[in-house]
Every structure is written in structure tokens, then in C-alpha cells.
Amino acid sequence: MKKNTFLFKIKRLSQILLISLLLSNELLSVELSNYVDKKKCDQIVDKQLYQICYSYKNKGAMSGWVRLDNKSEATGIKERAKFYNESTIPMQYRTKSDDYKGYGEDWNRGHFIVSDADFDYDEKALAKAYTMANIIPQSAIVNQKTWTKVEKYGRMLASKLGYIDSISIAKYDNPNQKIGNDIVIPTKLYRIYYNNDSKFEKCFSYDNVLNVDYKNDELRNHEIDCKSIKLR
């Protein structure tokens, strides 16, 4: 009788531990839907290697997602691709490289969801990074001095962990701030990195402004609590 009771308790304890483990894994698991509501995308531009949630009103990406693997650390393609119009977007909502003429000192053509360095392992892959749907008006200093740090961090994570899932989010809180062709300038940029197999998740925030103290800028200054930007 005592033996049966003991075995029952062991079995019950094993069940509790298994349930706890499953619940723990579920709580630690990150999903795209935690950060992106696809219903709010006017169009999802599928570039095969990554996807862009595109806004017709802002004429730019609201968000985008990609999985980077350790190939992203490869380099060697000397000739850069050329920017091109995204033909899948209706003409009246497309942006062109020429829309940025005259704004270069302040606002750059900033790669947003993926940088060209992310796809520097293959010419065809690299060309996909140059669609104008992946380009937003980015403060020259943010584009050249600070955002590059979070991009490099993502490639380092992909190399270290085998892969990293990346989500980029743009906030458009000032619809009157625009460059040519009525392209709205994002006010804030977010980058989320996660790897569920490694139970890894980190989030970063950048103000898309012209005056940035880039000399004292460090990646850790931009890290935020991921809960502050999760939808659920």
C-alpha cells in the first residue's frame, strides 16, 4: 500500500514538473504577433528572405521581419546594388530614390528591416535589400553612426546563436514631418531580436532625430524593456 502511494506521488510530481516546464517554455516563447498586428498593414511586401508591413498613408514601412543566420557574417561583394522602386506597391503609394534628393544632409535613404550587410553573402539576396519599400527617411547621424550598431549586433547574434529573428518597427507620430513625395518621416525606430531555442530576447529604441550625440552613443543606451512595446 505504501509502495503504491509512493509511486502515485512520484508520478503526480512528474506530471506537475512537466506541466510547469511546458508553461515556462510557453511564457518564454516569442511570436511575431507579440509585436506586429498584420491587420494594420495596407500591404505585406514579400521579398522571400524577409517581409515588409507597408503603410500607404506614410509611404513607408510600419514594420518588417527577417530571420538572419550565420551567413549574414559573410562579406566580399564589392559592388553595391542600386535602389529600385517596389513594383508590387500601387504606383500612387510607391517611393523613389529621387524623392530623397535635396534632403541628404539631414535625411538619408535608411535601410530599415534589413541592411545591405545582412545579405552580403549573395548578389541576388543583396539586391533584395535595395527595394525602396525597405527604405525610410532616417536621420543622417542615426543612419550612419548609431543604427548601424544595432544592425551589427544582430549579425553577431546570428553568428553566435546560429540564427536570430529580427523585427523592426517604425512609429509615425508626426504625420506633417515629410520629405519629397509626401513620405512621412518616422519619429521612433525599434529593433527586436529573439531566438526561442536559446531563450533570448532583447529590444532597442532609437529616436529618429537630427541632433544626436553619437560620440557618446552606446548600444546599451538604447536597450528597453520588451514588455513596453509588446501588443500582448
Side-chain angles (χ1 to χ4, degrees):
M1 184 70 178
K2 289 183 179 180
K3 184 178 180 181
N4 290 338
T5 302
F6 176 75
L7 290 174
F8 174 79
K9 288 182 177 179
I10 291 294
K11 184 178 180 180
R12 183 60 178 162
L13 181 60
S14 298
Q15 290 174 338
I16 292 171
L17 288 172
L18 179 61
I19 292 170
S20 298
L21 181 62
L22 291 172
L23 287 173
S24 176
N25 287 337
E26 186 176 339
L27 288 172
L28 290 171
S29 180
V30 182
E31 297 179 357
L32 177 64
S33 60
N34 294 149
Y35 293 99
V36 175
D37 183 357
K38 290 185 180 181
K39 293 178 182 177
K40 293 185 177 180
C41 308
D42 291 315
Q43 179 178 342
I44 295 179
V45 180
D46 186 1
K47 302 305 291 182
Q48 289 79 54
L49 296 176
Y50 68 103
Q51 284 72 43
I52 305 164
C53 170
Y54 196 82
S55 165
Y56 291 160
K57 181 175 71 173
N58 298 310
K59 290 190 175 180
M62 290 196 296
S63 60
W65 48 95
V66 62
R67 172 170 287 190
L68 301 175
D69 56 29
N70 50 22
K71 289 186 294 186
S72 299
E73 282 284 78
T75 57
I77 300 175
K78 294 181 179 180
E79 188 173 347
R80 299 292 90 180
K82 293 182 179 180
F83 293 102
Y84 60 91
N85 302 343
E86 180 54 54
S87 61
T88 66
I89 296 173
M91 185 71 73
Q92 65 269 37
Y93 304 120
R94 290 182 202 171
T95 62
K96 307 180 295 296
S97 182
D98 286 349
D99 296 333
Y100 287 75
K101 282 187 176 179
Y103 296 93
E105 285 190 15
D106 293 330
W107 302 104
N108 287 177
R109 293 171 300 193
H111 288 80
F112 184 42
I113 292 90
V114 295
S115 70
D116 60 349
D118 292 338
F119 293 159
D120 205 18
Y121 59 86
D122 179 85
E123 289 184 359
K124 289 183 178 180
L126 181 62
K128 292 182 184 295
Y130 278 80
T131 171
M132 288 300 296
N134 180 43
I135 304 302
I136 58 169
Q138 209 170 41
S139 159
I141 295 177
V142 172
N143 180 49
Q144 298 170 31
K145 302 290 186 181
T146 63
W147 184 253
T148 53
K149 295 173 186 175
V150 80
E151 291 175 326
K152 288 178 183 177
Y153 182 61
R155 292 191 292 276
M156 183 274 288
L157 289 172
S159 178
K160 182 179 179 180
L161 302 178
Y163 75 89
I164 196 73
D165 288 309
S166 170
I167 303 172
S168 302
I169 298 172
K171 293 294 183 183
Y172 296 87
D173 295 325
N174 186 355
N176 295 318
Q177 188 179 20
K178 301 177 180 180
I179 63 167
N181 191 23
D182 284 333
I183 300 172
V184 181
I185 299 171
T187 51
K188 193 175 283 287
L189 310 174
Y190 297 100
R191 176 61 62 88
I192 300 101
Y193 289 125
Y194 66 97
N195 180 315
N196 285 330
D197 293 323
S198 299
K199 303 296 184 289
F200 178 91
E201 181 184 24
K202 279 193 178 182
C203 299
F204 301 87
S205 171
Y206 287 77
D207 291 323
N208 192 27
V209 295
L210 299 177
N211 298 318
V212 178
D213 181 15
Y214 69 89
K215 291 183 179 179
N216 294 309
D217 180 83
E218 294 184 23
L219 181 63
R220 63 184 179 183
N221 298 339
H222 299 277
E223 188 172 349
I224 60 172
D225 184 351
C226 291
K227 292 179 182 177
S228 68
I229 56 172
K230 279 186 176 179
L231 301 178
R232 58 181 180 86

